[in-house]
């Protein structure tokens, strides 16, 4: 089921190869919108332009290309992103400042701007109602699977839909946002601060994800609401939005470059959320933890090492509990190691619980294992 | 050439397999000594004992086992490390507090203490003068090569020797020290603070190294001086010591788990050394930089991403210069990319210069590429 009032297209325009690489999402009325972007100090040109265009909280279209991120392309890159918005606006007869540009792919290569501007000319006639799966496909780079999550809410015989699309498989340790994620809804959200709601949802989902510790220069999460279906109070919408963001976060972790296992890590017993996050990220970014989980190696000492290398958070060793799917693995004997190894080898979703025994705070983080395939994919990405 | 007055042995005592796993270094007189240890919050039992034994600045022997790190082994682990020191002292008729214990290998497995105590009984009769290559072999775990660096200093017809031995191939982002490193000298160093000299040398060498961002729980660097040959002033000794530490650092990076390339990164134009280190570590720890260097992928944007993800150090993009062996690669065109790719593919030592254009500070860092072999070695380490 799709949110009402959204039209889209996804197609190939030959940016790199013959797979889909260009997409447009259009709402037939201007949308109440919010976005969060990467904290990387060298954000892409589309992000520089997008930050301006989202300022008034209104968007009516998103234009996306994959296979080229338009990052580190200087003033020419910014000019190109703006021209694309204008071309889209021109075709759709809307305000160019209500268009958000997005690009993902290789860094530091000028956009094939003529191909893109050319494709913009025919947007109006090629848009189809809904059709968002095509967009989900067109935004992929090294991803193997489309990432879609949606929620249908029934209210007095009427229905509202929140529909999220994401991409991302590497260069992922989002900070305030993830690779690319578009969330469309026809629900009228009773809020004066959609951005806070989005930030809060992102903090509990994408910002708790790490694939390889590398924060992308293109991270973007956008939410667009046309308000044409049911009306929801802030807390309720935030709850649904968070669910969708978490679902997309897990889909990204599962489809991470080379990954064979999704790791869901709960850090509890922390003195505060900052402590939980430092420990959580240290564990999920540790190549030695990630390879042990990949190989089914019952090497629990590596978890201890990864907790201990957060020098400024001193946790007494005795306090710590390490559980793998409920099984205590700290000081594991041979029989426990055997169970641990079997669990790691037989499952593609790994549940890890780390209790620090320090306080009352807890948080959940997501990551994946590290495999030979990650190396292969990234050793030869541009070539 | 070996430093005078040191005796040693290295042999197999069956801790894990049939390769050498036990070593002792002995000086026939007590040595002026200093050591630095890991900052990991869960240091191994030998480190807990070693910190006590080094307090008075005197050591006469070091006892080392590989294949088991005696880390996360609780009170029993500490008791075992102490008993080993006592058994060594007993055989050598020296003070047990002048013995430094060291262990390296898997975390969280109790030491086979009987095998070790048994081996200690015959130390005295098995020691050979010099013989340090055997020690260099016995301390290895996943290392492929022995790591030795020495310096002979001539002074008025007399000679002094500084001789360093190290091990380490993974779980390496040293902080105040590296895996294991023993530096022996017969030189009389005219200093009241050998530890400061060692710290300074370590800060310019091992602390500028990262293999996989994982700080070991066993990091130890020890220097022992018996003062029986020539006498050197503090600055001169420090210079030689630093040279040896840098040489061993490079040997560790070259022999890193799965590595095919040593990366020497100079970060210059920094506002201070902290900034240089943050940027240097971010580049050398980035899986995407490491895999690009492995694959010879001319993906210069990944260097930019890795500089930009140090959120709290904002460097203007225009300021930055990126040079690969002298070739400017920022905004590389096709011809430059071609040269870049060839350079990466044809060389096993990669020289990278990053100038931040911010200030006058510079520092050199070492790292290595990330390959399928790293994954293979670490997915199945304990099994």
């Amino acid at each position: 089921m799709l949110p009402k009032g959204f039209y889209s297209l996804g197609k190939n325009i030959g940016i790199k190869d013959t797979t889909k690489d260009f997409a447009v999402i259009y709402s037939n009325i201007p949308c109440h919108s919010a976005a969060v972007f990467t904290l990387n100090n060298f954000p892409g040109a589309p992000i520089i332009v997008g930050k301006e265009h989202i300022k008034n909280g209104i968007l009516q279209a998103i234009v996306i290309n994959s296979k080229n991120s338009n990052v580190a392309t200087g003033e020419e890159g910014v000019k190109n992103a703006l021209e694309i918005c204008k071309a889209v606006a021109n075709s759709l007869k809307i305000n160019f400042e209500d268009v958000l540009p997005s690009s993902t792919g290789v860094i530091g290569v000028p956009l094939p701007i003529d191909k893109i501007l050319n494709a913009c000319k025919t947007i109006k006639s090629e848009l189809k109602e809904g059709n968002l799966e095509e967009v989900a496909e067109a935004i992929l780079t090294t991803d193997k699977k489309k990432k879609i999550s949606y929620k249908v809410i029934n209210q007095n015989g009427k229905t509202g839909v929140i529909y999220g699309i994401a991409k991302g498989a590497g260069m992922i340790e989002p900070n305030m946002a993830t690779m690319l994620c578009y969330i469309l809804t026809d629900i009228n959200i009773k809020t004066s601060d959609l951005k806070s709601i989005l930030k809060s949802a992102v903090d509990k989902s994408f910002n708790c994800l790490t694939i390889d510790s590398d924060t992308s220069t293109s991270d973007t999460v956008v939410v667009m609401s046309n308000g044409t279906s049911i009306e929801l109070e802030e807390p309720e919408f935030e709850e649904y939005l968070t669910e969708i963001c978490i679902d997309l976060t897990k889909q990204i972790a599962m489809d991470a470059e080379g990954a064979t296992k999704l790791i869901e890590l709960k850090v509890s017993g922390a003195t505060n959320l900052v402590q939980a996050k430092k420990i959580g990220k240290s564990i999920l970014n540790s190549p030695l933890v990630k390879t042990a989980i990949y190989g089914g190696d019952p090497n629990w000492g590596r978890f201890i090492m990864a907790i201990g290398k957060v020098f400024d958070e001193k946790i007494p060793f005795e306090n710590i509990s390490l559980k793998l799917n409920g099984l205590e693995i700290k000081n594991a004997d041979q029989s426990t190691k055997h169970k641990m190894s079997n669990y790691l080898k037989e499952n593609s979703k790994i549940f890890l619980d780390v209790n620090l025994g320090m306080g009352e705070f807890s948080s959940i983080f997501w990551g994946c294992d590290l495999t030979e395939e990650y190396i292969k994919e990234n050793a030869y990405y541009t070539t």
Side-chain angles (χ1 to χ4, degrees), chain A:
Chain A
M1 193 150 180
L2 295 160
K4 285 175 273 296
F6 290 93
Y7 299 76
S8 70
L9 70 87
K11 64 176 193 171
N12 173 263
I13 62 168
I15 293 180
K16 182 181 176 186
D17 51 30
T18 57
T19 58
K20 289 197 176 70
D21 50 20
F22 181 76
V24 176
I25 300 170
Y26 166 70
S27 163
N28 57 4
I29 54 174
C31 287
H32 183 191
S33 305
V36 286
F37 300 98
T38 182
L39 280 189
N40 192 297
N41 289 330
F42 307 123
I47 286 179
I48 294 168
V49 172
K51 278 183 179 171
E52 287 302 311
H53 289 190
I54 195 70
K55 267 189 182 159
N56 65 351
I58 303 286
L59 288 179
Q60 197 165 355
I62 302 175
V63 53
I64 313 149
N65 73 273
S66 56
K67 315 298 189 312
N68 184 316
S69 69
N70 195 10
V71 171
T73 46
E75 282 177 31
E76 191 67 19
V78 176
K79 196 171 142 271
N80 284 341
L82 255 177
E83 281 214 35
I84 293 167
C85 292
K86 287 178 181 167
V88 171
N90 199 36
S91 171
L92 296 171
K93 310 289 176 237
I94 60 174
N95 186 340
F96 80 92
E97 289 177 320
D98 294 344
V99 181
L100 185 109
S102 259
S103 299
T104 178
V106 64
I107 296 176
V109 175
L111 275 186
I113 185 68
D114 291 341
K115 286 182 184 170
I116 297 175
L117 292 180
N118 199 43
C120 288
K121 288 180 191 158
T122 51
I123 290 173
K124 183 78 184 184
S125 61
E126 293 177 60
L127 286 172
K128 292 182 197 138
E129 190 166 359
N131 195 38
L132 294 161
E133 291 217 7
E134 216 172 68
V135 176
E137 186 185 335
I139 64 177
L140 305 181
T141 52
T142 55
D143 310 60
K144 285 185 291 293
K145 288 181 188 165
K146 286 181 281 193
K147 292 159 191 81
I148 294 170
S149 180
Y150 65 95
K151 190 103 197 160
V152 180
I153 299 105
N154 293 301
Q155 189 186 69
N156 308 324
K158 290 180 75 180
T159 55
V161 179
I162 314 173
Y163 194 95
I165 301 168
K167 66 85 51 175
M171 199 181 280
I172 298 191
E173 174 165 331
N175 207 304
M176 296 314 290
T178 185
M179 288 296 283
L180 298 179
C181 174
Y182 311 101
I183 300 155
L184 312 168
T185 182
D186 49 17
I187 293 170
N188 184 17
I189 312 139
K190 290 171 82 177
T191 179
S192 58
D193 194 357
L194 185 57
K195 187 162 178 185
S196 300
I197 297 177
L198 179 61
K199 269 195 172 169
S200 164
V202 165
D203 272 340
K204 291 177 192 140
S205 54
F206 300 114
N207 283 356
C208 292
L209 168 68
T210 183
I211 301 299
D212 55 11
S213 80
D214 278 341
T215 302
S216 155
T217 42
S218 300
D219 291 348
T220 300
V221 181
V222 190
V223 58
M224 286 172 76
S225 148
N226 67 13
T228 58
S229 69
I230 60 173
E231 195 172 75
L232 284 185
E233 298 290 338
E234 213 174 87
E236 199 180 354
F237 181 78
E238 185 176 323
E239 193 186 317
Y240 296 135
L241 184 67
T242 305
E243 273 178 38
I244 286 177
C245 288
I246 288 177
D247 187 35
L248 289 170
T249 298
K250 290 190 203 177
Q251 290 186 44
I252 290 175
M254 266 188 286
D255 193 27
E257 288 170 346
T260 67
K261 293 172 197 300
L262 164 71
I263 308 168
E264 183 164 305
L265 164 65
K266 183 175 181 188
V267 178
S268 57
T271 29
N272 53 57
L273 288 175
V274 172
Q275 183 184 59
K277 190 165 186 171
K278 277 198 235 170
I279 302 280
K281 288 284 183 84
S282 179
I283 294 171
L284 290 179
N285 275 331
S286 161
L288 291 171
V289 166
K290 289 159 72 89
T291 48
I293 287 175
Y294 168 53
D297 183 343
N299 206 335
W300 62 272
R302 291 186 184 173
F303 296 101
I304 293 295
M305 175 280 298
I307 299 168
K309 74 173 173 155
V310 184
F311 306 133
D312 53 354
E313 297 291 346
K314 302 212 177 289
I315 321 284
F317 179 72
E318 328 58 274
N319 280 26
I320 296 171
S321 152
L322 295 177
K323 282 187 182 159
L324 207 54
N325 201 32
L327 176 74
E328 178 63 56
I329 57 167
K330 193 174 83 166
N331 303 317
D333 58 14
Q334 279 310 320
S335 145
T336 307
K337 280 186 185 170
H338 191 70
K339 284 181 201 158
M340 191 178 160
S341 184
N342 283 347
Y343 174 71
L344 291 174
K345 283 177 183 159
E346 287 162 12
N347 291 281
S348 60
K349 291 184 192 172
I350 303 299
F351 294 94
L352 180 66
D353 266 275
V354 173
N355 193 315
L356 304 176
M358 302 289 284
E360 297 303 317
F361 289 82
S362 71
S363 189
I364 294 176
F365 304 89
W366 294 274
C368 62
D369 56 348
L370 177 62
T371 72
E372 294 93 342
E373 274 308 302
Y374 178 91
I375 311 291
K376 281 186 197 136
E377 286 197 36
N378 284 300
Y380 316 103
Y381 178 57
T382 56
T383 48

